[in-house]
Amino acid sequence: MEDIGDRQTGHDQAELSVDKMNLTDSQGMNLSKHINSREAKIGVIGLGYVGLPLVIEFSKAVFQVIGFDVYPAKVEALLQGKSYLRHIDPARLAPYATRFTPTTEFRRLPETDCIIICVPTPLNKNREPDMTYVFNTTRTIAQHLRKGQLVVLESTTYPGTTDEDVRLILEETGLKAGEDFFLAFSPEREDPNNKDFSTSTIPKVVGGYTGKCLTAAKALYDAIVVRTVPVSSTRVAEAAKLLENIYRAVNIAMVNELKMLFDKMGIDIWEVIEAAKTKPFGFQAFYPGPGLGGHCIPIDPFYLTWKAREYDFSTRFIELAGEINASMPYYVVQKTVDALNERGMSLKRARILVLGIAYKKNVDDTRESPSLKLIELYRERGAAVDYNDPYVPEIPKLRHYDLKLKSVALNEQTVSSYDAVVIVTDHSAYDFKFIAEKAKLVIDTRNAIVDAGIYGDKIKKA
Ligand SMILES: NC(=O)c1ccc[n+]([C@@H]2O[C@H](COP(=O)([O-])OP(=O)(O)OC[C@H]3O[C@@H](n4cnc5c(N)ncnc54)[C@H](O)[C@@H]3O)[C@@H](O)[C@H]2O)c1
């Protein structure tokens, strides 16, 4: 056994010339070589938006892959060659039926050489990190951990999760990270439905608990992505992911605030952004909207806020951005109230049609969608609310919502029958010209009705 306990610090960047490191596990097996020769078997835990694309990439790279999930229905669907995520066409999985085995049987974990954790990291009802999925999964891995395995956490989380919490759980087995097994963190940058980038073409940041952990993790991802970006620790990798998402949350909050101010000044924020983005340097366009949605941006920044408290530090940018972004559905409701009022109507007893339940265009993901909050707020104020979403026929029961609604048809009769149509998600499938023509009143949170001038006063941007 070599001296694998070469714990890295931010100062030993030179150590990052990973090719110089000689990775040898306790059984004398070189894991990197094992990966490069495709003999290594890959285990992916959590077969969702992040896990399934990874399964496809590793299968494509001629690895044998076992996919683990706790939900039998998902595993059953995969075994039947079906996918339960709209943007993952089952045809993408079909060629790999002989290489990919989905299962709920975690006792098969010792068959794998590399284990990648892609389970959810939501917030609990007090808006604090809910680490139960990651920790339960880690405990399950610990029950089956064997020498020489590589464990990589991909779930977005606070710095310190991998080298403190996950490591301690795994080391309760008596095996040591960096000596008996390898431990790393590599954040996911999946952007469902992005036509320009996919799992394999997005560079991947990788941090290891030790240099040799990094070598193993780098070899693993080198097999499937265009470029791996090694960093000096798991904490840097964890923090890099949070920086990416905090950057978006803060900038979106800024344009949301400017939207509200410019509205009072009679200035259209969308026109301002179009003008500003002609600057060829030093400016990146962010767009206002009805509030944040999705599994990442409304949630991840608060993982850092929570961890910062341990250091007696308050993350003011994150808190302020959160406050502004969370207030946007209320702004949209107020705009609806004002527009109805102009027509001598009140929100109470008004009939509202919400367009789009998915948190962003052309996907079926409803997690944290601002549409859900909007429906709740409209209902609380006495409105009768329906929705349409071509990708969400029924609103599933979610962590914070059980709205019990089904998508209504979108045709001339329905669109014209509501007191207000509220555009929340600008799916490409929508014919906004038709909607603008037929609706009595449109509340447009996405600047979807481009020729608002043609449709006069019945289009209200919000
Ligand atoms: N969705 C994205 O675009 C995206 C992008 C970057 C990072 N992330 C992060 O990746 C992680 C996973 O997100 P996701 O969107 O893939 O979530 P998801 O809900 O789509 O998938 C998670 C999967 O894990 C399964 N699961 C839950 N508990 C489990 C357990 N104990 N053992 C095994 N499987 C379990 C669920 O059944 C589900 O299939 C999160 O930390 C998220 O923040 C997501």
Side-chain angles (χ1 to χ4, degrees), residues 46 48-50 69 71 74 119 121 133 137 155-156 188 367:
Y49 286 86
V50 168
D69 206 290
Y71 285 96
K74 290 188 179 183
V119 296
T121 43
Y133 300 90
T137 300
S155 304
T156 309
E188 190 48 59
R367 292 176 294 178

Side-chain angles (χ1 to χ4, degrees), residues 255-405:
V255 287
N256 274 334
E257 184 173 76
L258 292 179
K259 171 178 77 169
M260 295 186 285
L261 170 64
F262 288 165
D263 181 63
K264 283 184 185 291
M265 298 166 85
I267 300 168
D268 183 336
I269 180 78
W270 282 277
E271 192 183 349
V272 173
I273 294 169
E274 286 311 300
K277 82 178 196 196
T278 58
K279 185 180 174 183
F281 51 87
F283 181 82
Q284 188 187 352
F286 284 87
Y287 295 92
L292 294 181
H295 190 346
C296 297
I297 302 180
I299 290 173
D300 302 346
F302 295 99
Y303 270 65
L304 191 59
T305 296
W306 176 82
K307 190 68 178 174
R309 284 186 216 133
E310 205 177 295
Y311 296 83
D312 205 11
F313 191 95
S314 132
T315 52
R316 286 177 292 164
F317 266 106
I318 297 174
E319 296 288 2
L320 180 59
E323 202 180 296
I324 293 170
N325 289 328
S327 75
M328 294 323 295
Y330 294 85
Y331 176 77
V332 175
V333 168
Q334 189 55 49
K335 282 287 186 187
T336 314
V337 168
D338 294 347
L340 288 168
N341 202 33
E342 275 175 22
R343 286 160 175 71
M345 300 172 71
S346 72
L347 185 54
K348 192 172 178 128
R349 282 192 275 278
R351 292 184 66 239
I352 306 284
L353 178 64
V354 167
L355 291 189
I357 290 294
Y359 80 90
K360 71 170 186 176
K361 68 192 290 181
N362 304 339
V363 301
D364 61 354
D365 190 349
T366 57
R367 292 176 294 178
E368 310 294 323
S369 170
S371 310
L372 305 167
K373 183 73 189 172
L374 268 171
I375 291 174
E376 185 182 73
L377 293 177
Y378 284 136
R379 278 180 167 179
E380 279 170 12
R381 285 153 183 76
V385 190
D386 287 316
Y387 86 92
N388 169 275
D389 192 309
Y391 306 122
V392 187
E394 193 170 341
I395 302 180
K397 188 175 183 310
L398 294 154
R399 266 185 206 103
H400 306 297
Y401 297 95
D402 187 12
L403 295 169
K404 297 189 172 57
L405 280 176

